[in-house]
Amino acid sequence: MFRTAELGRKVSKEEFDRQAEPLRIELLELQQKLRAADVPVILVFAGVDGAGKSESMNLLNEWLDPRWIVTCAYGPPSDEERERPEFWRFWRDLPPKGRIGQFLSAWYSRPFRDFATGAIDEAAFDEELKRIQAFETTLADDGALILKFWMHLGKEAQKKRLKSLEKDPQQSWRVTAQDWKNWEMYDAFIRAAEHLIARTSVAAARWTIVEGQDHRYRALTVLCSVRDALLHHLERRRRQRQVQAEAAAWPGTPSGTGDAVLPDLVAGLPTVLDTLDMTRTLPKEDYRAALSKQQGRVAVLQRQAREQGISTVLVFEGWDAAGKGGAIRRLTRALDARQLQVIPVAAPTDEEQAQHYLWRFWRQLGRAGRVTVFDRSWYGRVLVERVEGYASQDEWARAFAEIRDFEEQIVQHGMVLCKFWLHITKDEQFARFKDREETPYKRWKLTEEDWRNRDKWDAYEQAINEMVERTSTHSAPWTLVEANDKRHARVKVIRTVAEAMERVMTKS
Amino acid sequence: MFRTAELGRKVSKEEFDRQAEPLRIELLELQQKLRAADVPVILVFAGVDGAGKSESMNLLNEWLDPRWIVTCAYGPPSDEERERPEFWRFWRDLPPKGRIGQFLSAWYSRPFRDFATGAIDEAAFDEELKRIQAFETTLADDGALILKFWMHLGKEAQKKRLKSLEKDPQQSWRVTAQDWKNWEMYDAFIRAAEHLIARTSVAAARWTIVEGQDHRYRALTVLCSVRDALLHHLERRRRQRQVQAEAAAWPGTPSGTGDAVLPDLVAGLPTVLDTLDMTRTLPKEDYRAALSKQQGRVAVLQRQAREQGISTVLVFEGWDAAGKGGAIRRLTRALDARQLQVIPVAAPTDEEQAQHYLWRFWRQLGRAGRVTVFDRSWYGRVLVERVEGYASQDEWARAFAEIRDFEEQIVQHGMVLCKFWLHITKDEQFARFKDREETPYKRWKLTEEDWRNRDKWDAYEQAINEMVERTSTHSAPWTLVEANDKRHARVKVIRTVAEAMERVMTKS
């Protein structure tokens, strides 16, 4: 795979100087255009030590306007990073739209090293690469331009390079004992690299293998690749927008990756919500005792979870007036406010708007031992954004896979995750809206929008049905809560949380 | 000081229940009003162990809508926090406008403990309290409502309370060996508390001492205090806005805390900028060598700083077209992009807009060993915001003291701080604007706004003069750079950075 990157290609100083000035102006102009575009650029530099990874990053900072570039290199994770899923640190560093983020090895670093040194086998490596692929696809689907450079040196060339760096007093610090140890393992590293590149070179995020021996050749290759890709991407993005605008008039079949097709609901036939027994109630005389029993249980569990560093993520979705707020309050009343965060999800801020829609939820994941309650959540993408047309069909359809992947990472990290859909019947909702209208201190809860949403009941029902179907996984199932009776709903919610916490804590 | 908090006041269950319902509705309504107002609320709970600090926080979470409350308790700082000045963690947790942040001990915790246990003497304690006072005043001046509750128990009452907690199997975990050790030191703690309360009870952030023995009395006292303060503050804020709108028509003397009055500039008489020798040049033949010497020097220093964990903060201000971008690029070219962040300061995002204006700069302070370059900075408050009237006279006038305090914390934390004003003459600016107009790939750099700013040259000159005068402190001096000659300016900037880094590293 690397034979074409060991040809000893060189660029003379004259040739370099001839190309440099116009190329630089082109790049600066493209960077200006990018700033006005609605896409971020993600550059990854990985490869053989001494082949010019960080030199290339410095070069981009030097040639382009560094104010619009974010450069990220990673050491061992900080404690705040270790307390979240591994990709949290990469999500938080992602460049917003209009900017360039350049990443040194980043998400490739640990899996690559683990496989090359034999710490994990090929099957495990492939699993990790699949996660990476999903991550990059998620970003590319959202419009990101992703360019990955594998900087290569032949075995002998690397040896020479390390030796010559060692001799230069200005550069010798760059060469560490670890570099020589890596060099001994050159062949194993190359085999791992071939495997990695083959599995993660996908249309949306292709690797470019760069011969790293000659610094002028290397510089021109990287810079010209960036220029060409930027030119192409901005143009393609412009056309895409056009096509999308036209296609919006002609909706087709959603294309969520790997998802089976769900037939449209036939009006009148039952959905998953109709499987609920909406007559369930909890008599008032049993409620107090049941509630305080579950609250006590969850209070003890929270303390244990805190001690063990186990975080809990709770998602509340449901019809307007289904009692989300009340259920959340009954639950949080039992919890220690110091370890708790309730996140009300409303319109994204402009910093959030400049990122992938999942970014705002990644950033909210709590530290070890904390409880994070989402009052509405990432499911807005496939509910309100779908029904109201804020997200295109492509966007919400691919969100199912993106959400499954996100939640899998939460669960794999050892966090507790519960997702509640609070269901009420249409009649019950009407009664509650009326009550809110008539009770002075509840009036602020009811808005015009609630009435408008109610008119779209059927469209929401279809969206909910599909959401539950596509995102109820073994590791992150939905809990559907019969909420016509508030007492029943509240106790069921808290009991479900307690059970989920118990399950995770018994495991660990 | 605490005698009135040892009277054994009690509220009966009947009395509590009678007051609870209407109080709760009032609080919820006020919280709704607060959400629409442009001020945050900061509640601090501190005091004797067992007197109900965290119970009060839980109570607020329970009675109010927890979605608009942020609750913060602090353990030992994380490594990301340790790498910044101590107040960084508090700044990052501040509630945005419209929300309530409740803080457990927070910024009082460490200084209080240090003094009570004798780790620091009274003078050092007073220094810490002064910093706290400045912090709270800064927030209050910006409109924050700050309420601080000191939860008190007499020595015997505390002993009883700890014993009764120990006996309750549900609560016994709350009592630790440390609590009993603290109890032994009760008298020392009380003396420290008296000192702390006396020094930090200022008009804008007063302490309320709450007798903590009876939980119903305690709850009503805290909740009614919050209600009354909210009512009062929202009303006062409304009037303040009115008065401000009227006063804007009649500007008076700025009231920057503790600042001497500066006379208005008399047109034609010299300012601090006129002390610069604007004929300074660096001949082209000397430039290359001088530049690369300084670049090499700074490159080595950056590596050393990285190893020692010393961060560098560089601030670039200057006239439009003074060459900030060029100087920054010559500097960053010498630096390792992986340890570098260039922050272009433009309009704040809406998350930043919802906070004190310094918040956005606090959040950008880099981790240990990194270099952060601000292309424009917090000085916008006393430059463009002053001249254009975006900040009121009160706002920009008090910013001088706020900025001095911010920078002092940066320097005290052991970071390197340099501030550059790049100065060009009015004629030179004109020539550069013309050049930008005429060079195709520079044209994007010149905007209508640049011409408009130029028309306000004199107003800016006055603002610059005052800024340099008021914020050139011993620990954070301005470097004025004669920038009519770009070569001279660039070399001077990099040399100044190198010298500052050397100074800090020799010290440590």
Side-chain angles (χ1 to χ4, degrees), chain A residues 32 35, chain B residues 320-321 376 433 436-437 442-454:
Chain A
Q32 276 308 110
R35 283 190 57 205
Chain B
D320 291 327
R376 304 196 187 275
F433 278 11
R436 288 183 173 186
E437 261 181 355
K442 289 183 185 168
R443 212 167 282 152
W444 63 270
K445 288 188 182 182
L446 189 69
T447 64
E448 273 304 304
E449 211 187 312
D450 293 329
W451 287 111
R452 276 199 304 275
N453 290 344
R454 184 175 160 78

Side-chain angles (χ1 to χ4, degrees), chain A residues 344-505:
Chain A
V345 175
T349 67
D350 51 13
E351 289 178 44
E352 292 168 343
Q353 199 81 60
Q355 297 275 2
H356 188 276
Y357 84 95
L358 280 177
W359 185 83
R360 57 194 294 221
F361 304 108
W362 270 101
R363 78 194 289 216
Q364 299 281 14
L365 288 183
R367 297 192 55 185
R370 316 292 165 97
V371 177
T372 312
V373 176
F374 288 93
D375 181 356
R376 304 197 187 274
S377 69
W378 42 94
Y379 283 102
R381 189 71 160 187
V382 297
L383 294 173
V384 56
E385 290 189 43
R386 168 184 178 169
V387 172
E388 300 292 340
Y390 303 147
S392 73
Q393 182 154 322
D394 267 355
E395 283 171 334
W396 62 256
R398 67 171 180 260
F400 295 119
E402 293 171 348
I403 288 172
R404 285 195 301 263
D405 186 57
F406 174 46
E407 293 179 350
E408 194 180 275
Q409 292 186 60
I410 291 174
V411 173
Q412 279 181 358
H413 188 68
M415 293 174 163
V416 179
L417 173 65
C418 293
K419 310 185 292 189
F420 296 102
W421 176 263
L422 268 62
H423 185 57
I424 50 175
T425 54
K426 210 171 169 184
D427 292 346
E428 176 65 22
Q429 190 188 48
F430 186 77
R432 292 188 186 181
F433 279 12
K434 282 289 162 197
D435 176 54
R436 287 183 173 184
E437 261 181 358
E438 283 151 23
T439 314
Y441 71 91
K442 289 184 183 169
R443 211 167 282 152
W444 62 272
K445 288 190 183 183
L446 190 70
T447 63
E448 273 304 305
E449 211 186 313
D450 293 330
W451 288 109
R452 276 200 301 277
N453 290 343
R454 185 175 159 78
D455 288 339
K456 296 183 181 157
W457 186 279
D458 292 346
Y460 273 105
E461 199 161 11
Q462 165 133 6
I464 296 157
N465 192 56
E466 189 166 346
M467 170 187 85
V468 171
E469 174 65 27
R470 296 202 189 281
T471 59
S472 247
T473 60
H474 178 70
S475 59
W478 275 97
T479 302
L480 305 178
V481 182
E482 310 82 356
N484 269 7
D485 181 70
K486 286 183 181 177
R487 291 187 292 264
H488 166 75
R490 290 168 184 169
V491 172
K492 180 169 176 176
V493 161
I494 306 178
R495 194 180 56 232
T496 307
V497 172
E499 284 165 1
M501 293 178 88
E502 267 168 7
R503 262 198 311 278
V504 170
M505 283 194 283

Side-chain angles (χ1 to χ4, degrees), chain B residues 32-299:
Chain B
Q32 276 308 110
K33 272 196 200 141
L34 172 67
R35 284 191 56 205
D38 65 341
V39 294
V41 174
I42 293 165
L43 307 177
V44 178
F45 292 89
V48 174
D49 291 330
K53 297 187 293 276
S54 49
E55 287 85 345
S56 299
M57 294 169 81
N58 285 336
L59 197 72
L60 272 151
N61 241 26
E62 192 182 317
W63 278 44
L64 298 183
D65 190 334
R67 293 176 299 175
W68 318 109
I69 301 181
V70 190
T71 303
C72 301
Y74 296 91
S78 74
D79 46 14
E80 296 194 20
E81 289 167 342
R82 268 191 306 274
E83 294 174 10
R84 277 88 166 199
E86 190 179 8
F87 273 67
W88 186 78
R89 64 199 310 215
F90 306 125
W91 275 92
R92 76 166 170 163
D93 285 344
L94 287 176
K97 289 167 183 171
R99 303 217 184 180
I100 297 171
Q102 41 177 0
F103 294 85
L104 181 62
S105 303
W107 40 92
Y108 287 99
S109 178
R110 191 200 45 73
F112 176 72
R113 181 162 301 273
D114 282 356
F115 179 60
T117 59
I120 58 174
D121 64 11
E122 191 174 305
F125 190 39
D126 281 346
E127 274 307 303
E128 307 248 26
L129 296 181
K130 236 185 248 169
R131 164 129 311 143
I132 289 175
Q133 221 194 82
F135 174 60
E136 291 177 347
T137 305
T138 290
L139 300 177
D141 279 346
D142 198 43
L145 166 61
I146 305 178
L147 284 181
K148 304 184 289 191
F149 295 98
W150 190 272
M151 315 301 288
H152 181 74
L153 277 182
K155 193 167 182 182
E156 282 315 302
Q158 192 189 14
K159 188 174 176 183
K160 257 202 211 156
R161 169 92 177 127
L162 292 178
K163 289 226 179 251
S164 90
L165 281 175
E166 270 181 340
K167 259 191 266 170
D168 181 347
Q170 292 258 332
Q171 302 281 344
S172 61
W173 61 275
R174 287 184 182 271
V175 184
T176 62
Q178 186 61 49
D179 290 329
W180 282 114
K181 254 189 242 164
N182 290 350
W183 183 78
E184 307 258 320
M185 295 182 57
Y186 185 91
D187 297 327
F189 274 79
I190 288 298
R191 270 195 305 278
E194 285 189 349
H195 193 88
L196 178 149
I197 290 171
R199 297 295 159 108
T200 56
S201 235
V202 292
R206 217 175 280 288
W207 282 100
T208 303
I209 300 176
V210 181
E211 181 168 359
Q213 206 165 357
D214 177 61
H215 70 99
R216 282 188 289 265
Y217 169 77
R218 184 176 77 202
L220 277 189
T221 307
V222 168
L223 292 168
C224 290
S225 300
V226 169
R227 177 198 57 191
D228 296 344
L230 254 174
L231 258 172
H232 180 200
H233 193 74
L234 291 176
E235 174 59 19
R236 194 176 53 181
R237 186 73 183 163
R238 198 183 58 73
R239 290 207 199 150
Q240 230 172 28
R241 287 269 167 222
Q242 253 173 15
V243 173
Q244 263 170 20
E246 285 161 23
W250 300 92
T253 314
S255 59
T257 332
D259 279 331
V261 172
L262 282 191
D264 274 3
L265 290 185
V266 178
L269 287 191
T271 68
V272 64
L273 296 174
D274 296 311
T275 62
L276 293 178
D277 175 4
M278 295 306 290
T279 63
R280 287 235 184 154
T281 56
L282 183 65
K284 206 168 182 179
E285 55 275 23
D286 304 337
Y287 173 61
R288 287 261 150 247
L291 184 70
S292 77
K293 183 179 158 201
Q294 296 306 331
Q295 285 177 333
R297 192 175 163 201
V298 98

Side-chain angles (χ1 to χ4, degrees), chain A residues 137-148:
Chain A
T137 305
T138 290
L139 301 176
D141 280 345
D142 197 45
L145 167 61
I146 304 178
L147 284 180
K148 302 185 290 191

Side-chain angles (χ1 to χ4, degrees), chain A residues 32 58 62 67-68 71 78-80 92 104 173 303 333 337-338 344 349-351 363 375 444, chain B residues 32 58 62 67-68 71 78-80 92 104 173 303 333 337-338 344 349-351 363 375 444:
Chain A
Q32 276 308 110
N58 286 335
E62 191 182 319
R67 291 176 300 174
W68 318 109
T71 303
S78 74
D79 45 15
E80 296 194 21
R92 77 165 171 163
L104 181 62
W173 61 276
R303 214 155 57 235
R333 183 173 291 181
R338 292 172 296 178
T349 67
D350 51 13
E351 289 178 44
R363 78 194 289 216
D375 181 356
W444 62 272
Chain B
Q32 276 308 110
N58 285 336
E62 192 182 317
R67 293 176 299 175
W68 318 109
T71 303
S78 74
D79 46 14
E80 296 194 20
R92 76 166 170 163
L104 181 62
W173 61 275
R303 214 156 56 238
R333 184 172 290 180
R338 291 171 296 177
T349 67
D350 50 13
E351 289 180 41
R363 79 194 288 216
D375 182 355
W444 63 270

